[in-house]
Amino acid sequence: MTGTISTQTGSAHAGLLGIGAYRPSRVVTNAEVCEHIDSSDEWIRTRSGIIERRFAEPHETVQMMSVAASRKALDLAGVDPAQIDCVVVATVSHLMQTPAVAPLIAAELGATPAAAFDISAACAGFCHGVALGADMVRSGTAKYVLAIGVERLSDITDPTDRGTAFIFADGAGAAVMGPADVEGVGPVVWGADGSKYDLIRQNENWMDVVEMNQSEMPTLRMDGNPVFRWASFEMAKVAREALDRAGMTVDDLDAFIPHQANMRIVDAMARALKLPDHVAIARDIVYQGNTSAASVPLAAAAMLESGEAKSGDTALFIAFGAGLAYAAQVVTLP
Ligand code: UT7
């Protein structure tokens, strides 16, 4: 047989059509964190920018938070769940190793029989999802895509570990992507540096836990300072490249929405990029902590809700973390 495989094309352009967020109900102060580690409210504020964060209650599962954020994004987009062709969930804290959580979320939303799968790119996961979603819309693989970033990091953070207990937190954010008249998602600049694999990691793999007959789950560990230096210096270059590849400069930006890893990293990137005064900078970390894959959509939703940014604004997304993995793109906010 010498038949030719038919192919398909999608929309010339893809765009973000709606962004939604879910913030867990329990507020955790720095004072509460300091009950378990030798630290202080002042140290945490000055070194990370965090004043408080949210931890999920038992009923606020990865699935529940994702569905709540997605319903808001779908409502804002005016897209029915049944129109979604693919659900991509970025998370490292869905504690069932298989199956993925995405099919459960898709089923609860009524987005069936959409393709549904999880991706593991840690804090950079949501921006990976946006890149995949936009490519699917443009290639015709899907007409509408739901990309979710969700974490319950409180489940996998050791409250007595001084290097991580004050920084990580919980939440969910979601974006609906679909066809657009003009381009709304610029080329992604993404990559990974596996030589820095150990800088943010689970302290033990599951096999070690079983072999050592331990009853405790593995938890996260981070060599914070090398990650801090890498993010502060290298990520500004990635951000600049994402602007270049979108054919833009910092003057074209209305908003800068980086991963909310540490306020000092946000400030260092803003300085390195020489962002003009008119660019609104996301500072959601102050009251949300570092929510890994959820942080960019949570910060974007907060800016749209508060009026700091508005629909049609040009924003730069950039996210980075364990792997070390990173991804950045220029987007038009929905
Ligand atoms: O989201 C994924 C990517 N993650 C990130 O991008 C996070 C990157 N890293 C960071 O945000 C920062 O490295 C941290 C906020 C985690 C730590 O800040 P740092 O300025 O890098 O602190 P450090 O580790 O260099 O430690 C400085 C000092 C040390 O004391 P000495 O040696 O100067 O006396 C530490 O022992 O701060 C001490 N220290 C603490 N003190 C109070 C370390 N952790 C704590 C703590 N409370 N929790």
Side-chain angles (χ1 to χ4, degrees), residues 28-45 47-48 50-51 53 55 157-168 219-222:
V28 177
T29 62
N30 288 342
E32 181 178 339
V33 170
C34 293
E35 286 169 17
H36 308 284
I37 54 170
D38 175 15
S39 189
S40 67
D41 176 47
E42 203 220 332
W43 190 94
I44 296 171
R45 283 182 195 229
R47 293 291 176 135
S48 72
I50 300 169
I51 291 178
R53 75 285 290 140
F55 282 1
T157 302
D158 176 353
T160 67
D161 177 51
R162 211 169 172 230
T164 53
F166 64 95
I167 203 160
F168 292 131
T219 48
L220 294 170
R221 290 292 178 275
M222 176 167 70

Side-chain angles (χ1 to χ4, degrees), residues 26 35-36 42 45 48 61 98 138 152 243 256 278 282 290-291 334:
R26 191 162 99 75
E35 286 169 17
H36 308 284
E42 203 220 332
R45 283 182 195 229
S48 72
T61 61
T98 194
R138 289 185 293 242
R152 268 181 66 113
L243 282 168
F256 177 51
H278 74 263
N290 176 337
T291 56

Side-chain angles (χ1 to χ4, degrees), residues 141-232:
T141 309
K143 186 167 180 191
Y144 293 102
V145 176
L146 180 64
I148 299 168
V150 56
E151 301 292 2
R152 268 181 66 113
L153 294 178
S154 59
D155 285 338
I156 54 169
T157 302
D158 176 353
T160 67
D161 177 51
R162 211 169 172 230
T164 53
F166 64 95
I167 203 160
F168 292 131
D170 305 341
V176 176
M177 276 166 283
D181 294 336
V182 291
E183 193 49 60
V185 182
V188 67
V189 177
W190 58 1
D193 181 356
S195 71
K196 296 182 169 56
Y197 190 80
D198 284 339
L199 292 182
I200 311 172
R201 66 198 179 281
Q202 206 171 284
N203 62 343
E204 286 161 333
N205 73 40
W206 283 106
M207 204 55 106
D208 294 337
V209 171
V210 173
E211 275 169 12
M212 289 154 79
N213 210 11
Q214 284 178 194
S215 57
E216 305 234 320
M217 288 209 314
T219 48
L220 294 170
R221 290 292 178 275
M222 176 167 70
D223 294 340
N225 200 263
V227 179
F228 180 89
R229 282 186 274 115
W230 171 81
S232 300

Side-chain angles (χ1 to χ4, degrees), residues 31-98:
E32 181 178 339
V33 170
C34 293
E35 286 169 17
H36 308 284
I37 54 170
D38 175 15
S39 189
S40 67
D41 176 47
E42 203 220 332
W43 190 94
I44 296 171
R45 283 182 195 229
T46 52
R47 293 291 176 135
S48 72
I50 300 169
I51 291 178
E52 61 189 35
R53 75 285 290 140
R54 304 282 183 107
F55 282 1
E57 297 281 16
H59 73 282
E60 294 170 313
T61 61
V62 164
Q63 179 181 342
M64 179 270 176
M65 294 194 290
S66 299
V67 167
S70 300
R71 285 204 173 118
K72 285 186 199 155
L74 287 159
D75 275 359
L76 289 168
V79 170
D80 192 272
Q83 293 175 273
I84 296 289
D85 298 311
C86 184
V87 178
V88 183
V89 179
T91 188
V92 295
S93 47
H94 169 57
L95 296 183
M96 188 78 171
Q97 186 146 7
T98 194

